[in-house]
Amino acid sequence: MLLQIDTLAAVEEQVAAIEEPVQQSMNLWEMAQYGGWIMIILAILLCGACYIFIERLVVLKQATREDKSFMDRIRDYIHEGKIDSAQNLCKQTDTPSAHMIEKGISRIGRPMQDVQVAVENVGNIEVGRLEKGLVVLATVAGGAPMLGFLGTVLGMVQTFYNMAQTSGGIIEMSALSTGMYQAMVTTIGGLIVGILAMFAYNYLVARIDRVVRLLESRTMEFMDLLNEPA
């Protein structure tokens, strides 16, 4: 008798487990679709920010690539009077610091103040080239969350509109789900894009500051080189 009761209880548990509704999970793609056209703009901004970040990383890596014996060879060429060889070495190196020194070498023979001004001007131009695209990245960092909030407002407007269209004062959650999903999803999407762009921007600024310090060091080293006795 007890065995039959246990068997019936086990069967009832299996039937209850079968009849229990299975909860469906939502992936990121399905969630993004609820955001509407705002999510398309955010996706474009994210792709643009990723492209700028990767492209600037490559440029900055090339800018910091330098032969440790570069300045020693420049010093030897200048002391030996081989100005053309020094300029050719700068052209072959093709880095921001090499461009600065090449400009300074072309001004040898003029007052030291003129040489330093020429070198610093080239340095400012090189830094401006390194900063290319950072304005766009900063704009994405600030604009993406605002677009997300815009989607939130539009979603709430859609929700209240659906509520106003109901008759008899009966509101079904299914009629409000679209607007609520848009309100939440666009906020999340905007914040994610904005946070990633902000981190990328700050990282690139830190890398550019490192290059600027390198250029300042090379400028001082080059000016000291010109003041050394032959």
Side-chain angles (χ1 to χ4, degrees):
M1 186 67 179
L2 294 176
L3 181 60
Q4 292 179 351
I5 294 175
D6 293 339
T7 304
L8 290 175
V11 172
E12 290 178 355
E13 291 178 357
Q14 294 177 358
V15 172
I18 295 174
E19 293 178 351
E20 184 179 355
V22 179
Q23 295 182 354
Q24 296 181 353
S25 61
M26 180 183 298
N27 55 38
L28 293 177
W29 173 250
E30 293 177 352
M31 184 182 298
Q33 288 179 336
Y34 281 103
W37 60 271
I38 294 289
M39 297 300 294
I40 299 177
I41 299 178
L42 291 175
I44 294 174
L45 292 179
L46 179 61
C47 293
C50 292
Y51 171 79
I52 293 174
F53 178 69
I54 296 174
E55 189 266 343
R56 287 294 93 187
L57 277 183
V58 174
V59 172
L60 290 171
K61 184 177 180 180
Q62 295 176 350
T64 55
R65 186 192 73 249
E66 190 178 63
D67 187 3
K68 295 182 178 180
S69 63
F70 173 75
M71 290 303 300
D72 294 334
R73 297 172 64 185
I74 291 293
R75 180 182 291 104
D76 294 338
Y77 284 140
I78 292 178
H79 287 172
E80 295 172 3
K82 300 178 180 180
I83 304 301
D84 294 337
S85 298
Q87 290 180 332
N88 291 332
L89 177 60
C90 292
K91 293 178 180 178
Q92 294 174 2
T93 305
D94 192 21
T95 60
S97 58
H99 297 163
M100 289 172 47
I101 294 174
E102 181 183 1
K103 189 67 174 181
I105 293 174
S106 66
R107 294 292 189 270
I108 291 179
R110 297 187 180 184
M112 296 297 294
Q113 184 65 26
D114 294 344
V115 176
Q116 184 173 358
V117 170
V119 172
E120 291 178 350
N121 289 338
V122 174
N124 292 332
I125 294 174
E126 294 296 330
V127 172
R129 292 176 179 174
L130 295 177
E131 293 176 346
K132 180 181 177 182
L134 290 188
V135 175
V136 177
L137 204 58
T139 302
V140 173
M146 299 301 295
L147 284 173
F149 294 148
L150 175 60
T152 300
V153 174
L154 294 176
M156 296 305 296
V157 170
Q158 181 67 32
T159 299
F160 285 115
Y161 176 78
N162 293 336
M163 292 173 62
Q165 296 301 313
T166 59
S167 59
I170 300 175
I171 301 175
E172 296 182 359
M173 292 304 297
S174 60
L176 307 179
S177 61
T178 302
M180 295 299 294
Y181 270 126
Q182 181 177 357
M184 297 297 101
V185 170
T186 55
T187 300
I188 295 173
L191 289 175
I192 290 175
V193 175
I195 291 171
L196 293 177
M198 181 185 65
F199 285 153
Y201 174 81
N202 290 332
Y203 179 77
L204 292 178
V205 168
R207 290 289 299 269
I208 291 175
D209 288 340
R210 188 190 309 175
V211 176
V212 170
R213 290 193 296 270
L214 176 62
L215 296 180
E216 292 175 350
S217 175
R218 290 293 176 265
T219 300
M220 296 176 60
E221 190 173 356
F222 178 72
M223 298 305 299
D224 290 341
L225 185 154
L226 296 181
N227 290 322
E228 291 179 359

